[in-house]
Amino acid sequence: MSLYCIGDLQGCHAPFQRLLDKIDFSPSRDTLYILGDLVNRGPSSLEVLRSLSKLGDAAQCLLGNHDLHLLAVWQGVRKPGRSDTVQGILDAPDSQALLDWLRHRAMAFHRHGWLMVHAGVLPQWTAAQTVALGSEVEQVLRGKHLKDFLKAMYGNTPDHWSDSLQGADRLRVIVNALTRLRFCTPEGVIDFSSTDGPGSAPAGHLPWFDVPHRATLGTPVAFGHWSTLASGKNSVPTLRHNTLPLDTGCVWGGCLTAARLGKAAGEFELVSVTCEQAQKPGKPG
């Protein structure tokens, strides 16, 4: 039995299938942990959702910002963007089943000694707290007030966590941290302006994984979302302050990468396939 964490697919079905072939994946034996952004920007979002949903428990998937965007478009809360490639899902005969499957995915996992998120973790949050807060969002996504939640989900305020937060403000901070976070202050104030590499931190901010004394420092964290950390055909993700970035820019012509988790916490082996560029160069999101 092998366990794999895989970074952002973003609708790149052909590289995903090549990666599964390369690792000799068997759904009866192995488990995939997909770190969010299953869809969008790439050419085959519909095929990705169909493939993952058919794998059952062998594919444990997180929700990323692009997945939440798709749910918002489905519910009429957002309009499709110019770079979106999700219309095929919305028009498909099995659209309802696929989107219902998607809204039942998770926001965070703590499995096999690893914390797994799409984007990041605020400095105050422990691994257990991260999963618990993620479950608050999951309950709303799976409930009858989905559309109301999605209407209130977007926005940059509050920009920091407080245990006293309630309602839409509380859920919005959780979503922003788990699906959008790149930079924050040591106190956990989130920056929403920069999407570039770690050297582009705004004044007073750090990459979230570089914040000293963050509560998850002793837990290995696998995440995606930030393709400029480890993208390009010759780039290799490396463990940095006990975190492993696994968005290696597949949709931008980089690689699609799986980390096979070892028996010891924080132990892994990387397997990658090169990808054809599916999206014109631009700012990742």
Side-chain angles (χ1 to χ4, degrees):
M1 179 186 75
S2 294
L3 309 166
Y4 297 93
C5 285
I6 298 178
D8 303 35
L9 299 178
Q10 291 202 236
C12 295
H13 186 256
F16 178 48
Q17 294 304 308
R18 291 200 300 271
L19 182 60
L20 295 186
D21 289 342
K22 189 170 183 178
I23 63 177
D24 192 26
F25 172 73
S26 169
S28 64
R29 177 191 66 216
D30 307 322
T31 302
L32 307 175
Y33 292 96
I34 312 294
L35 302 178
D37 277 3
L38 316 179
V39 301
N40 211 10
R41 302 284 177 83
S44 307
S45 291
L46 174 60
E47 289 77 7
V48 166
L49 286 191
R50 283 175 172 167
S51 293
L52 290 172
S53 62
K54 288 176 182 177
L55 289 175
D57 291 341
Q60 301 286 316
C61 302
L62 296 179
L63 292 168
N65 50 300
H66 282 286
D67 309 312
L68 293 174
H69 171 70
L70 170 57
L71 293 176
V73 172
W74 172 45
Q75 291 294 307
V77 172
R78 302 280 281 191
K79 293 183 179 180
R82 288 186 296 175
S83 299
D84 285 353
T85 58
V86 297
Q87 193 61 45
I89 298 171
L90 301 169
D91 294 340
D94 52 347
S95 174
Q96 182 70 35
L98 291 172
L99 290 164
D100 192 57
W101 175 86
L102 185 65
R103 75 184 184 117
H104 283 78
R105 299 311 96 200
M107 296 296 296
F109 293 130
H110 190 196
R111 306 275 178 84
H112 316 290
W114 286 80
L115 179 61
M116 306 172 195
V117 296
H118 175 61
V121 182
L122 288 175
Q124 307 97 313
W125 294 355
T126 65
Q129 185 179 12
T130 301
V131 173
L133 293 174
S135 71
E136 294 183 25
V137 176
E138 293 163 16
Q139 290 175 30
V140 181
L141 285 169
R142 299 166 186 178
K144 61 182 180 181
H145 300 297
L146 172 64
K147 187 170 185 176
D148 291 337
F149 163 72
L150 293 170
K151 285 180 179 178
M153 181 179 69
Y154 289 95
N156 296 341
T157 57
D159 61 3
H160 62 282
W161 175 252
S162 169
D163 290 335
S164 64
L165 287 172
Q166 297 182 357
D169 284 349
R170 181 181 179 90
L171 295 175
R172 193 180 306 115
V173 175
I174 298 170
V175 168
N176 283 341
L178 293 178
T179 68
R180 298 177 64 194
L181 180 62
R182 289 186 175 93
F183 298 105
C184 64
T185 68
E187 297 74 32
V189 177
I190 304 171
D191 169 73
F192 296 99
S193 62
S194 179
T195 61
D196 295 327
S200 64
H205 293 71
L206 298 165
W208 66 267
F209 44 78
D210 284 343
V211 173
H213 312 300
R214 60 179 167 83
T216 51
L217 190 58
T219 302
V221 183
F223 67 103
H225 184 61
W226 203 346
S227 62
T228 51
L229 290 177
S231 61
K233 295 185 184 299
N234 299 315
S235 296
V236 178
T238 56
L239 206 62
R240 175 170 173 166
H241 295 166
N242 219 16
T243 66
L244 182 64
L246 285 171
D247 180 0
T248 46
C250 180
V251 76
W252 308 102
C255 297
L256 184 64
T257 300
R260 186 172 69 178
L261 305 184
K263 293 182 179 180
E267 189 177 82
F268 62 92
E269 176 187 353
L270 296 175
V271 183
S272 297
V273 295
T274 57
C275 304
E276 58 277 4
Q277 185 171 304
Q279 179 65 217
K280 293 180 180 179
K283 285 192 174 184

